Amino acid sequence: MGESEMTTKTDGADGAGGTGDEAVSRFVERFAAEMTAAGMQRMGSRVFAALLASETASMTSAELAEQLRISPAAVSGAIRYLTQVGMVSRERDPGTRRERYVLHNELWYETFTRRDQVLTRWEKVLDEGAATLGTDSAAGRRIAETAEFFAFLHGEMNRIMDRWRAHKEAQAG
């Protein structure tokens, strides 16, 4: 692995005076622990955090295994998971037969856009469920309120994404 992918200068900002490699490893493990606590697969969280912290946002299986001190099989399982949830993609390493795993451009925008699509589908099914059960029943009212919540969340998500795009354009311009 190239030195630039593994080392980040911390200028002592890590609070422990450790080397760049140690500080990056601590960040990767800390962020991975937060994602795991939020419900993401543990090994997928670690691989994702390592990719996020790499200079190029891409690494090979061997690089990930070495940095995280895990087996190639663990990397493979994590990549399979991250690919399924749309957080990384596979690319052929130029001039080799190796694959390189890459974070998507605009990763968070894409992730939240897909979540928004899920919310829309849930809202539709919940609306149908409320109509089936009838709003004169406690279950029907509860399901209708849940559908209303997802409709609200959907609208707010669209406004947030619009504001994010405007923010990014203002920073670039």
Side-chain angles (χ1 to χ4, degrees):
M1 178 175 309
E3 188 68 21
S4 66
E5 288 181 22
M6 285 291 292
T7 303
T8 299
K9 298 291 183 201
T10 62
D11 298 325
D14 62 8
T19 67
D21 288 355
E22 291 170 356
V24 170
S25 291
R26 279 194 303 279
F27 162 76
V28 166
E29 295 305 326
R30 186 167 170 222
F31 189 56
E34 290 296 328
M35 290 189 301
T36 301
M40 192 169 161
Q41 183 188 77
R42 181 176 180 273
M43 203 56 67
S45 296
R46 292 182 73 210
V47 167
F48 176 80
L51 288 168
L52 188 65
S54 74
E55 192 63 29
T56 61
S58 71
M59 298 172 82
T60 65
S61 179
E63 291 167 340
L64 286 162
E66 179 183 338
Q67 178 177 342
L68 298 172
R69 296 182 182 102
I70 59 176
S71 71
V75 172
S76 179
I79 291 296
R80 185 173 34 260
Y81 167 77
L82 292 168
T83 301
Q84 287 172 349
V85 297
M87 295 177 80
V88 300
S89 59
R90 300 170 191 250
E91 293 179 0
R92 186 67 63 193
D93 210 5
T96 72
R97 297 178 65 196
R98 293 183 305 182
E99 287 187 325
R100 181 164 286 284
Y101 307 110
V102 182
L103 291 181
H104 290 289
N105 289 333
E106 299 186 1
L107 168 74
W108 299 115
Y109 173 78
E110 291 177 22
T111 299
F112 280 97
T113 299
R114 277 190 299 282
R115 293 286 181 227
D116 187 54
Q117 293 167 355
V118 169
L119 292 176
T120 301
R121 290 194 313 267
W122 288 0
E123 179 188 343
K124 181 178 185 240
V125 171
L126 288 163
D127 279 338
E128 292 169 1
T132 299
L133 293 172
T135 55
D136 56 336
S137 71
R141 286 190 301 275
R142 187 171 45 252
I143 291 171
E145 182 179 343
T146 304
E148 185 180 342
F149 171 75
F150 285 126
F152 174 81
L153 199 56
H154 174 90
E156 290 300 306
M157 189 74 77
N158 287 335
R159 284 186 278 287
I160 288 169
M161 289 300 140
D162 289 343
R163 288 195 327 261
W164 172 248
R165 283 188 291 274
H167 172 78
K168 291 292 286 180
E169 287 174 15
Q171 283 185 325

